[in-house]
Amino acid sequence: MSRRVVRQSKFRHVFGQAAKADQAYEDIRVSKVTWDSSFCAVNPKFLAIIVEAGGGGAFIVLPLAKTGRVDKNYPLVTGHTAPVLDIDWCPHNDNVIASASDDTTIMVWQIPDYTPVRNITEPIITLEGHSKRVGILSWHPTARNVLLSAGGDNVIIIWNVGTGEVLLSLDDMHPDVIHSVCWNSNGSLLATTCKDKTLRIIDPRKGQVVAGDSSIRYFEITDEPPFVHYLNTFSSKEPQRGMGFMPKRGLDVSKCEIARFYKLHERKCEPIIMTVPRKSDLFQDDLYPDTPGPEPALEADEWLSGQDAEPVLISLRDGYVPPKHRELRVTKRNILDARPPSGPRRSQSASDASLSQQHTLETLLEEVKALRERVQAQEQRIMALENMLCELVDGTD
């Protein structure tokens, strides 16, 4: 008579548990837009949720610690003229988030560490290049400021957010609507799914499909036979509207937490915690190998030139403390730096007119630059005053 052999696995006793009611985020008007999106994005500092908004699109950003009932007048991030369809936190800056909208634009936002007193309405930069709604966003895992977007025009665009430029445009890869896009671990390849029921593996810098499949399968895979293993199931009576996933660096290693999901209901967000039970209070090395940290391994230009690099790993032995507020700087390149195309020699008068026109353009650009610096200085002053106001209000509570 055969006897069933129990496979040895450090995850064999993993279980899922919903957080207590006081650790949930209540009274949030989650967006009801008909789009296949997670509607939720989370990092070690903030929870962002796409919400219902009149006259355009919006999402709410809450500090992780701000659980409980959310005030109906809590400030939102607004700016899109149509519903927001997707949001994604930058993996290299916990204060930067990108949003995609039905209005065909992508906006990148800087979120302050303090709670603003009014809506955030001015993005750092607006990216325009799609001809139809933009429903998918994904930051590059290792290269700084590289962001991918996919739209209803069946086009994938890869941007350099630091300059606002299009690095790559993949126009002829998909004959129908793109459902999902995902980078591999070092950002050298993309996996996409499409309405034509085909899974594609794409090398974006070569503009080539390097593998195709007509089926999508979901497995947990190990190195030993039988290779595919069932672990456990977390079940709930309520269906989810969307789901956010905490990066590994944001997990609580003292509680042997191996995953945390943020499950969206119609009017609340509920953390779901996956835990491996351990009796020891010591750091569990086998559960927490070094994991990707917030530092990029490449600059955008290095990645575009063909370089690949593995993520910069960090240890979670002492837990992870998010770095202080870091500002994303956008530097748009001067179009006058580009050399004019070679051609027949022009007359002296044409040359003089061209020089005069160039001088006028340079003067205008200098004036625009000076005005922009004055506006930025005023914005910093407003931000400082808001911070002082928040401290005063906190002090009176």
Side-chain angles (χ1 to χ4, degrees), residues 54-344:
F59 59 97
I60 190 170
V61 177
L62 300 168
L64 279 188
K66 192 172 180 61
T67 56
R69 188 170 300 279
V70 178
D71 190 291
K72 64 178 181 179
N73 295 318
Y74 194 90
L76 303 177
V77 181
T78 63
H80 287 287
T81 58
V84 175
L85 302 179
D86 197 18
I87 49 178
D88 195 30
W89 288 104
C90 175
H92 307 126
N93 189 332
D94 287 338
N95 293 80
V96 171
I97 188 170
S99 60
S101 171
D102 214 341
D103 64 10
T104 75
T105 69
I106 302 109
M107 293 183 177
V108 181
W109 309 84
Q110 186 94 34
I111 305 300
D113 284 330
Y114 62 87
T115 301
V117 295
R118 61 176 183 267
N119 289 350
I120 299 174
T121 59
E122 294 296 328
I124 305 171
I125 192 168
T126 300
L127 306 174
E128 298 176 299
H130 288 279
S131 61
K132 294 184 179 180
R133 62 167 57 177
V134 186
I136 298 172
L137 292 174
S138 183
W139 291 89
H140 193 283
T142 62
R144 188 194 306 272
N145 293 340
V146 176
L147 176 67
L148 175 150
S149 63
D153 50 8
N154 309 339
V155 174
I156 291 176
I157 298 179
I158 299 176
W159 308 83
N160 182 347
V161 173
T163 62
E165 297 175 304
V166 174
L167 297 178
L168 298 167
S169 182
L170 307 178
D171 300 336
D172 303 318
M173 299 278 178
H174 302 86
D176 215 324
V177 177
I178 301 167
H179 286 161
S180 64
V181 182
C182 183
W183 296 94
N184 67 346
S185 62
N186 67 2
S188 59
L189 298 173
L190 297 172
T192 69
T193 61
C194 179
K195 192 176 180 180
D196 66 357
K197 301 180 181 178
T198 300
L199 169 67
R200 293 172 174 83
I201 307 298
I202 298 172
D203 185 328
R205 288 168 295 194
K206 293 181 179 178
Q208 295 177 351
V209 177
V210 297
D213 191 2
S214 60
S215 300
I216 301 173
R217 305 172 180 88
Y218 192 104
F219 300 116
E220 183 204 352
I221 301 174
T222 60
D223 294 331
E224 67 276 356
F227 305 112
V228 181
H229 306 280
Y230 170 79
L231 286 177
N232 204 338
T233 300
F234 170 80
S235 59
S236 173
K237 295 179 181 179
E238 299 182 64
Q240 64 264 18
R241 181 75 179 89
M243 192 81 75
F245 303 89
M246 174 66 76
K248 188 116 183 187
R249 58 193 167 93
L251 301 179
D252 190 344
V253 298
S254 66
K255 297 180 180 178
C256 295
E257 182 183 19
I258 62 166
R260 193 190 312 156
F261 312 115
Y262 285 75
K263 177 181 176 182
L264 290 187
H265 301 263
E266 282 197 11
R267 295 190 67 88
K268 74 173 182 178
C269 179
E270 178 185 36
I272 305 295
I273 300 164
M274 306 296 290
T275 304
V276 175
R278 293 285 173 91
K279 294 182 179 179
S280 174
D281 292 331
L282 299 177
F283 179 74
Q284 306 295 312
D285 299 81
D286 59 331
L287 297 183
Y288 301 105
D290 289 353
T291 191
E295 292 302 320
L298 293 171
E299 298 295 337
D301 292 342
E302 293 174 329
W303 177 81
L304 186 62
S305 69
Q307 296 186 44
D308 290 321
E310 296 301 317
V312 179
L313 303 181
I314 60 172
S315 171
L316 298 180
R317 178 172 293 276
D318 298 320
Y320 174 75
V321 178
K324 292 184 178 179
H325 179 87
R326 295 189 296 180
E327 185 176 354
L328 172 63
R329 297 189 179 276
V330 176
T331 307
K332 291 191 176 181
R333 291 180 179 163
N334 189 343
I335 59 172
L336 299 177
D337 290 341
R339 293 184 178 179
S342 59

Side-chain angles (χ1 to χ4, degrees), residues 30-42:
V30 179
S31 174
K32 296 179 181 179
V33 67
T34 54
W35 184 256
D36 188 12
S37 171
S38 64
F39 295 97
C40 178
V42 64

